[in-house]
Amino acid sequence: MAECVKLPKSIVDKSWDFYKQVWSHLIVYFQVHDDKNLKGRANDAIASACLYIACRQEGMPRTFKEICAVSKISKKEIGRCFKLILKALETSVDLITTADFMSRFCSNLGLPNSVQRAATHIARKAGELDIVSGRSPISVAAAAIYMASQASEDKRSQKEIGDIAGVADVTIRQSYKLMYPFAAKLFPDDFKFATPIEFLPQM
């Protein structure tokens, strides 16, 4: 799984340590709570959650959807194990932010540094102005990338961004709609517009 999402050996090792510490505890839990969805798949669900936690703690977060894609385990199953592992090990993870994903998403979309910098600024400013309250950092990052790319020469569609970020088009639109009325305040002062703010998509 780690190889599929391009993770270093340090994260594999940390995931394995988590797995060894919690395996017995969680296997017993799943046997007691006979969940048909997890029957025969508890090991994979635990391993997937361990990998997700290790990524978060090592500062190389991956989305639930990315882990789901390589593990074939549902987000719900991984999420359940994630919470149980944190409780069993009495550990925690830092809250994810838009900055955790911006560089990787923009790189995978083939966007230049100027667009990445603008998207990072847009997402951070949107948070400061409290206009994306309650939205997930991943959806805000995706919407910020969409806004920045649409204002540049390197335009990317919601679908292209959604495929990379692992979020639905409608999720990007929801965050973008919140941000659009404040677009003039969100862009960095030195951004070079190929498409002026007034001609950005309004959804």
Side-chain angles (χ1 to χ4, degrees), residues 102-113:
M102 199 65 78
S103 175
R104 187 159 54 86
F105 289 170
C106 288
S107 175
N108 289 342
L109 286 161
L111 291 169
N113 288 335

Side-chain angles (χ1 to χ4, degrees), residues 5 11 20 33 36 49 53 66 74 95 101 110 115 120 122 129 133-134 138 151 158 174 193:
V5 286
I11 289 186
K20 287 186 290 186
H33 301 77
K36 293 180 181 178
I53 293 170
E66 287 176 295
S74 74
L95 293 175
F101 300 98
V115 174
T120 301
I122 289 168
L129 294 174
S133 179
I138 297 172
Q158 291 175 29
Q174 288 168 348
F193 289 88

Side-chain angles (χ1 to χ4, degrees), residues 15 17-35 38-51 53 77-91:
S15 301
D17 287 341
F18 283 146
Y19 184 83
K20 287 186 290 186
Q21 289 179 61
V22 302
W23 184 84
S24 297
H25 175 86
L26 293 185
I27 288 296
V28 169
Y29 174 89
F30 290 130
Q31 288 173 343
V32 172
H33 301 77
D34 186 19
D35 189 326
L38 278 169
K39 194 172 183 179
R41 302 169 67 190
N43 287 348
D44 292 340
I46 294 168
S48 300
C50 287
L51 183 61
I53 293 170
E77 293 169 0
I78 297 174
R80 182 185 304 178
C81 286
F82 166 68
K83 292 177 182 177
L84 288 169
I85 290 169
L86 293 184
K87 184 177 181 180
L89 297 184
E90 298 182 346
T91 188

Side-chain angles (χ1 to χ4, degrees), residues 52 56-57 59 61 82 86 92-101 137:
Y52 177 79
R56 291 272 295 271
Q57 291 194 342
F82 166 68
L86 293 184
S92 63
V93 293
D94 292 334
L95 293 175
I96 57 174
T97 68
T98 56
D100 290 327
F101 300 98

Side-chain angles (χ1 to χ4, degrees), residues 54-166:
C55 288
R56 291 272 295 271
Q57 291 194 342
E58 291 297 301
M60 297 182 68
R62 293 297 186 267
T63 65
F64 270 125
K65 188 166 184 177
E66 287 176 295
I67 301 298
C68 291
V70 296
S71 69
K72 310 304 182 187
I73 302 296
S74 74
K75 179 179 177 180
K76 181 179 179 180
E77 293 169 0
I78 297 174
R80 182 185 304 178
C81 286
F82 166 68
K83 292 177 182 177
L84 288 169
I85 290 169
L86 293 184
K87 184 177 181 180
L89 297 184
E90 298 182 346
T91 188
S92 63
V93 293
D94 292 334
L95 293 175
I96 57 174
T97 68
T98 56
D100 290 327
F101 300 98
M102 199 65 78
S103 175
R104 187 159 54 86
F105 289 170
C106 288
S107 175
N108 289 342
L109 286 161
L111 291 169
N113 288 335
S114 59
V115 174
Q116 180 186 321
R117 286 195 301 271
T120 301
H121 188 278
I122 289 168
R124 184 177 68 248
K125 197 73 175 175
E128 291 173 358
L129 294 174
D130 198 29
I131 59 179
V132 287
S133 179
R135 307 301 301 174
S136 79
I138 297 172
S139 68
V140 173
I145 292 170
Y146 178 71
M147 180 176 282
S149 73
Q150 289 298 310
S152 76
E153 294 180 346
D154 300 276
K155 293 173 172 51
R156 298 292 185 272
S157 69
Q158 291 175 29
K159 185 179 187 312
E160 288 175 300
I161 296 168
D163 287 345
I164 292 296

